Amino acid sequence: MDKRVASLAAALEGIADGSIVMIGGFGAVGQPDALIDALSELGVRDLTIVANNAGWSAETGIPRLMDLGLVRKIVCSFPKGSTVFRELYLAGKIELELVPQGTLAERIRCAGAGVPAFYTPTAVGTPLAEGKEHRDFDGRTYVLERALHADVALVEAWKADRWGNLEYRGSGRNFNPIMAMAAKLTIVQANAVSADPLDPNSVVTPGIFVNRVVQIASRVENLLAAQQQA
């Protein structure tokens, strides 16, 4: 029951071409940067990326994956931050599935909870609802949205233990817990990994949903360390 691995390469082992990969984070907060950059070095192709947004800097993160030609499709709520995405999309080199943020979160949550689909009023009467089943409840129209599953979830946690139990820090919690539950293979980078169990009252993601954990100091931790050295 020891889910710790020694390297990023070991953490990402077995990810195949054509995988659906969920990436946690809200903008840059809670985003597993080290895992994303290691995935770009792995060279797997034809990926479908599920994330809140399409990233920012072309030198790292999701835009780096796109710039290397590794992403076939992105499912997200906010694609406009990345100039890399814009250029590829306008050139017809990448697909986009635009999903309202609340709907995206609920589709992922449903996958982890074993719920195949749900009805929501969001997007009714817009192009996003075209071709989807509609149904009226109590005089209001709803559209059917299906659960969103993944082959792999890349997650950032603040603390983890050897069993894969996870604790998050502040806004880093965002999409990470629901994505950890919605994938066949959940890989976590954690700022601190303990051989002793976490306090059960602090655990947000139980280890049953986690396959691998690698210790990577977060940007916050690195910044604090640099300030202390200065």
Side-chain angles (χ1 to χ4, degrees), residues 30-179:
Q31 185 172 273
D33 296 314
L35 287 174
I36 302 171
D37 290 343
L39 182 62
S40 70
E41 297 297 325
L42 195 62
V44 290
R45 312 185 69 83
D46 198 33
L47 299 175
T48 295
I49 299 297
V50 180
N52 177 66
N53 59 278
W56 308 102
S57 169
E59 299 177 356
T60 188
I62 296 173
R64 177 65 174 160
L65 292 173
M66 294 188 291
D67 195 38
L68 291 171
L70 306 179
V71 180
R72 177 184 65 83
K73 178 181 178 180
I74 185 164
V75 182
C76 72
S77 298
F78 299 98
K80 295 185 67 174
S82 168
T83 57
V84 173
F85 169 78
R86 175 181 173 82
E87 292 170 358
L88 291 173
Y89 183 72
L90 292 177
K93 296 181 178 180
I94 193 170
E95 299 176 37
L96 169 66
E97 182 179 344
L98 189 64
V99 185
Q101 189 176 68
T103 301
L104 179 65
E106 184 63 6
R107 288 181 66 189
I108 296 168
R109 190 202 68 82
C110 282
V115 178
F118 63 97
Y119 286 99
T120 175
T122 304
V124 170
T126 75
L128 296 182
E130 292 178 0
K132 297 178 180 178
E133 179 185 333
H134 288 63
R135 187 172 175 181
D136 288 349
F137 294 91
D138 300 322
R140 188 175 186 184
T141 302
Y142 294 75
V143 62
L144 184 69
E145 296 283 357
R146 298 184 65 87
L148 185 54
H149 298 264
D151 299 302
V152 181
L154 304 183
V155 168
E156 183 189 60
W158 186 246
K159 294 180 181 179
D161 61 25
R162 59 176 294 195
W163 293 272
N165 298 305
L166 306 180
E167 178 182 332
Y168 303 92
R169 183 177 187 270
S171 298
R173 184 165 172 169
N174 52 65
F175 278 87
N176 283 301
I178 56 173
M179 287 185 171

Side-chain angles (χ1 to χ4, degrees), residues 8-43:
L8 289 165
L12 297 176
E13 183 178 355
I15 299 178
D17 291 349
S19 293
I20 300 173
V21 181
M22 288 181 176
I23 297 178
F26 188 93
V29 178
Q31 185 172 273
D33 296 314
L35 287 174
I36 302 171
D37 290 343
L39 182 62
S40 70
E41 297 297 325
L42 195 62

